[in-house]
Amino acid sequence: MDRIDFTGRVAIVTGAGGGLGRLHALALAERGAKVVVNDLGGAVDGSGGSASAAQQVVDEIKAKGGEAVANGASVTDFAAVQAMVQQAVDQWGRVDVVVNNAGILRDKSFAKMELADFRLVLDVHLMGAVHLAKAAWPHMVAQKYGRVVVTTSSTGLYGNFGQANYGAAKLALVGLMQTLAIEGARHGIHVNALAPTAATRMTEGVMPPEVLAALKPEAVVPAMLVLASEQAPTRAILCAGAGTYEAAHITLTRGLHLGLAPDTPERLLAALAQVTDGAGQSVPQSGAAQADNEVTQALAAR
């Protein structure tokens, strides 16, 4: 097998001062990438900040013979993110890979959650990824090459108690990925989502110790390297944890044409098991597939 190689590539990794982000940055550098190590240096809830976390990772990379620079921008600040991308371009002439890893947690049940905490989690996870993609996009279009990795979560895909804000942000990132992949295809830009399960400071209070021991964060990194590589797929949701790798899909069932009549609500309720039956379901290539399926069945029923 050909080795995944990033020689000559420039990568930006957000939230790279510790945890998964640090491992992502180290792995990219070990395989030849020049890396902008971004981290605000805040706590898990997003409070505080320090440039030392990012600089320590840069020092690790340089000690191993790699090239890296530190950046302490908050991903919620678009101007600062634009400056970070320009920093990469000024330093190395291009930007090839962006790994959106920055995130915070403000967990509470929805009934007790303050709206400010809901908005901030969306701002960091979703808008942080939007800001970096928006800033890097013109450079990737110009060079006809780019790899964008967003970090989703099983909470976004399937839900988790006490994480309505986090789940909303993480599934929104999948929606962002789907459309950016479509728009980036003709420019050589591949966009994918990574759903990690790992023992980090963001999960240490969520999972029991024996489970955390099995979930070494290093086991997530291979999936990131694949999604960031020249050989990367596009529009994939790749899940990774404990050395196991899966793919998640948002599917569309074949459904059932019922027409429109006064009793359609009752007939739909009675047929709901058939409508939701997964047999013959598909993974649409775009949102237009839903309308195509609906209109095709309607015309066939005439």
Side-chain angles (χ1 to χ4, degrees):
M1 293 181 290
D2 292 337
R3 186 175 188 271
I4 295 175
D5 184 51
F6 292 92
T7 301
R9 299 297 184 190
V10 176
I12 299 173
V13 184
T14 66
L20 274 177
R22 169 182 166 272
L23 295 174
H24 289 335
L26 290 172
L28 287 163
E30 286 170 1
R31 289 172 178 260
K34 301 172 177 67
V35 184
V36 176
V37 179
N38 165 262
D39 203 290
L40 179 63
V44 174
D45 66 359
S47 60
S50 169
S52 62
Q55 187 58 52
Q56 287 175 8
V57 178
V58 168
D59 292 343
E60 283 188 79
I61 290 172
K62 288 184 174 180
K64 296 179 179 181
E67 291 187 58
V69 294
N71 182 279
S74 168
V75 294
T76 64
D77 183 342
F78 182 47
V81 172
Q82 287 180 303
M84 175 172 64
V85 170
Q86 192 59 50
Q87 177 187 12
V89 173
D90 290 345
Q91 184 88 13
W92 295 305
R94 57 191 295 121
V95 56
D96 300 288
V97 176
V98 296
V99 180
N100 294 277
N101 175 76
I104 64 170
L105 288 177
R106 294 209 171 179
D107 293 355
K108 275 189 180 178
S109 67
F110 186 63
K112 297 178 180 178
M113 185 179 293
E114 297 291 336
L115 286 179
D117 289 336
F118 202 107
R119 288 193 182 97
L120 183 59
V121 168
L122 285 171
D123 204 21
V124 174
H125 289 271
L126 175 59
M127 292 310 300
V130 170
H131 290 160
L132 182 51
K134 182 70 172 175
W137 202 260
H139 301 282
M140 292 180 171
V141 169
Q143 66 199 21
K144 294 294 183 183
Y145 182 91
R147 298 292 182 265
V148 177
V149 181
V150 302
T151 305
T152 185
S153 168
S154 57
T155 295
L157 296 169
Y158 309 113
N160 196 33
F161 186 90
Q163 292 192 309
N165 50 3
Y166 182 76
K170 288 306 192 184
L171 190 56
L173 283 166
V174 174
L176 174 69
M177 176 274 288
Q178 299 274 23
T179 292
L180 291 188
I182 292 171
E183 294 185 4
R186 64 194 179 98
H187 302 295
I189 303 172
H190 292 195
V191 188
N192 295 286
L194 172 64
T197 311
T200 69
R201 66 177 186 165
M202 290 183 70
T203 58
E204 62 186 8
V206 181
M207 300 174 181
E210 62 272 18
V211 173
L212 292 173
L215 291 170
K216 296 183 184 299
E218 290 84 355
V220 172
V221 175
M224 180 281 299
L225 291 173
V226 167
L227 296 181
S229 70
E230 291 184 13
Q231 303 90 342
T234 195
R235 293 190 69 196
I237 307 170
L238 197 56
C239 309
T244 300
Y245 304 92
E246 312 104 320
H249 300 283
I250 297 177
T251 64
L252 184 70
T253 69
R254 295 181 65 183
L256 178 67
H257 179 73
L258 296 173
L260 183 59
D263 66 343
T264 298
E266 288 73 24
R267 289 189 293 119
L268 174 57
L269 181 60
L272 210 52
Q274 186 175 351
V275 171
T276 60
D277 184 2
Q281 65 188 351
S282 61
V283 179
Q285 294 305 300
S286 76
Q290 178 181 331
D292 289 344
N293 182 59
E294 293 160 352
V295 172
T296 297
Q297 292 200 41
L299 294 176
R302 285 184 176 180

